[in-house]
Amino acid sequence: MNKLTKITIVVLAIFVIGMSISVAFADPVSAAKYKGKKSITVTVKDSKKTVKVKCKYKSSTNSYSGKKGKYVVYVWKGPKQSHFYNGWNTVAKNLKSHKECNKLGHKKPVTKVKLRYYY
């Protein structure tokens, strides 16, 4: 065999072995669950009122979402490629007064948020 052919075969073999190892140790599809929890409780503070909103995990969207009265909370894990949304993102809104809170790119889900107006 030619020396160039041998080098090409070795490089291809290393590539195939590396890809199979990376697939074997990859995170499963349901990796967006936070420590395997089915629900997360988020405390929302709006002026002087404090409300606890229970967010349930939805496998179709790989995120937690919950609603209590006029408060809506959405928690999801952003893609690793994004420098802005990388990590856990929490968005809480008051549907009546249009106050909101965005906590983006944290290492773990933010469970205490304070609503305010965004202009």
Side-chain angles (χ1 to χ4, degrees):
M1 257 199 253
N2 187 337
K3 187 175 182 180
L4 183 64
T5 309
K6 289 180 183 179
I7 292 173
T8 307
I9 290 173
V10 169
V11 168
L12 237 124
I14 291 171
F15 177 74
V16 169
I17 291 170
M19 289 302 288
S20 60
I21 289 174
S22 68
V23 169
F25 293 110
D27 290 335
V29 175
S30 62
K33 269 191 183 180
Y34 181 65
K35 295 185 178 178
K37 292 185 178 181
K38 292 182 180 178
S39 65
I40 295 176
T41 304
V42 178
T43 305
V44 178
K45 186 169 184 180
D46 186 8
S47 300
K48 296 178 182 176
K49 187 176 182 181
T50 303
V51 178
K52 289 187 177 183
V53 180
K54 189 172 185 179
C55 302
K56 292 185 179 179
Y57 181 75
K58 295 186 180 176
S59 60
S60 60
T61 58
N62 282 342
S63 63
Y64 295 90
S65 61
K67 182 177 180 182
K68 186 172 186 180
K70 58 187 174 183
Y71 301 100
V72 177
V73 177
Y74 189 64
V75 180
W76 79 97
K77 182 145 186 175
K80 291 182 180 178
Q81 295 84 7
S82 173
H83 68 282
F84 191 68
Y85 293 108
N86 184 9
W88 286 95
N89 306 300
T90 304
V91 176
K93 294 183 181 180
N94 182 338
L95 298 176
K96 301 285 183 187
S97 67
H98 303 291
K99 288 182 179 180
E100 62 182 55
C101 178
N102 299 318
K103 299 287 185 179
L104 306 173
H106 290 267
K107 289 186 179 179
K108 54 186 179 178
V110 178
T111 56
K112 291 183 180 179
V113 294
K114 187 174 182 180
L115 299 181
R116 64 187 182 108
Y117 289 110
Y118 284 95
Y119 297 105

